[in-house]
Amino acid sequence: MRTRTAILIAALAATPAAAFGPDLAPIIRAEDRIRLEHVDTVAGRTLRGALAQGTPDDLAVLMQGLAGRPLPADQAAALLPGDWSCRMLKLGGGLPLVVYQPFRCRIDTDGGFVKLTGSQRMQGMIGDLDGAQAYLGTGYIAGDIAPPYADLPDDIDPAATPQRVPEVGMVEVISPTRARILMPLPMLESDLTILLLTR
């Protein structure tokens, strides 16, 4: 006969792990949800262009960053918090592939995300969106104080000063030392932006 302790342990093991970060469904903009729904189509199209025209060195970074199957959201959650080296890749939008030097990023235990260095900054939240992990944030220029994603105005002018744009992406964790954020159809410069996270 099972003891009360054994029954409790079994019950806890059967309980789904708490989602990492907040529930993003109530705050995501309708147009940003549509952008995320096109991530696979956009990735396929831009990857074809990058593979056809990218330089060997840039393609090596891209292929290494995209290698590996993402972990399930409940396993990935515990691996996200901490300091990361983050490298931005931009595909399409005039150039097939642009690879930037690494910057510093941080993910807090509550899902808060911030890109700490570079002229182009981003800050927001990683959380649950329909059972997957997603990023909702604000892109801005270093020196500005960016409003939270939920406080951005309905009408966005990417050419305005200060430059503040909504950014959305799907978060994929590969291992304790590797993750990536795929941001389809950003408002600036590319058709797909990929942020590679390593540590």
Side-chain angles (χ1 to χ4, degrees):
M1 187 166 64
R2 298 169 71 184
T3 65
R4 288 183 182 177
T5 302
I7 293 171
L8 179 59
I9 291 172
L12 289 173
T15 302
F20 179 75
D23 180 8
L24 302 178
I27 64 170
I28 188 170
R29 300 158 171 253
E31 59 268 29
D32 289 340
R33 183 179 282 278
I34 292 171
R35 288 160 69 185
L36 290 181
E37 290 172 353
H38 286 87
V39 65
D40 289 335
T41 301
V42 171
R45 173 169 49 83
T46 56
L47 285 171
R48 286 179 63 191
L51 290 170
Q53 302 179 62
T55 67
D57 288 345
D58 286 352
L59 286 174
V61 174
L62 175 65
M63 300 310 292
Q64 183 179 12
L66 291 180
R69 179 177 297 182
L71 294 170
D74 58 342
Q75 295 179 31
L79 304 178
L80 281 168
D83 294 324
W84 293 85
S85 173
C86 51
R87 193 166 195 179
M88 187 172 291
L89 285 62
K90 295 188 176 183
L91 291 76
L95 293 173
L97 175 62
V98 179
V99 176
Y100 292 82
Q101 293 302 309
F103 301 102
R104 290 191 302 114
C105 294
R106 185 181 66 241
I107 301 175
D108 296 326
T109 55
D110 65 352
F113 175 93
V114 60
K115 180 174 176 286
L116 296 163
T117 57
S119 59
Q120 294 182 332
R121 301 290 178 91
M122 50 192 290
Q123 67 179 31
M125 295 296 296
I126 294 174
D128 179 76
L129 184 65
D130 305 329
Q133 294 199 309
Y135 167 75
L136 302 183
T138 303
Y140 62 104
I141 302 300
D144 187 19
I145 298 176
Y149 171 89
D151 294 342
L152 288 168
D154 292 336
D155 295 321
I156 301 292
D157 179 4
T161 303
Q163 188 180 77
R164 300 168 176 173
V165 296
E167 294 181 328
V168 295
M170 301 307 301
V171 180
E172 300 180 341
V173 180
I174 310 305
S175 73
T177 59
R178 292 183 55 228
R180 54 190 177 235
I181 304 177
L182 307 177
M183 296 179 280
L185 304 173
M187 290 190 167
L188 298 168
E189 298 180 350
S190 68
D191 294 325
L192 176 68
T193 296
I194 304 174
L195 196 68
L196 301 179
L197 306 176
T198 58
R199 61 182 172 192

